[in-house]
Amino acid sequence: MDPTVYGTAKVTVYNVPPSIGALGPWTLPVGPWVLRIDGTGFVAGALVLWNNQVLTPAVVTPTQVTLTGTTSASANVLIRVVNPGSIPSNPLRLGVGSGGGTPLPL
């Protein structure tokens, strides 16, 4: 190896998307609620996609996002988290007003 030879290289760095591991609770009541999203890779400025509607969370840590809100009707909701400059996380389905307490299938 010749130490006098050098070169340049172009490096592209991609933001790794966040990953959702669990929702707490798996079902929300109709009316006011608090949703905890557990996972990895969350950063400041992360947003929650609620059936692709953008919502701003109350709290974001590297492993948890907390969202508060109010709903007026029962529904099945697809939840994802997106960091600034990244693609959305994996989706998890959430029941609103549907009772139960287990994950709903995608």
Side-chain angles (χ1 to χ4, degrees), residues 28-73:
L28 296 175
V30 172
W33 47 261
V34 175
L35 176 64
R36 189 187 73 247
I37 303 169
D38 295 325
T40 59
F42 305 133
V43 301
L47 298 170
V48 175
L49 302 179
W50 173 287
N51 282 345
N52 289 325
Q53 178 183 353
V54 177
L55 302 175
T56 302
V59 178
V60 176
T61 71
T63 59
Q64 193 173 87
V65 174
T66 304
L67 185 68
T68 60
T70 302
T71 54
S72 59

Side-chain angles (χ1 to χ4, degrees), residues 4-15:
T4 62
V5 176
Y6 64 93
T8 61
K10 181 179 178 181
V11 176
T12 303
V13 178
Y14 295 98
N15 290 334

Side-chain angles (χ1 to χ4, degrees), residues 62-87:
T63 59
Q64 193 173 87
V65 174
T66 304
L67 185 68
T68 60
T70 302
T71 54
S72 59
S74 295
N76 286 318
V77 179
L78 193 64
I79 299 291
R80 295 182 295 160
V81 175
V82 62
N83 288 331
S86 179
I87 61 172

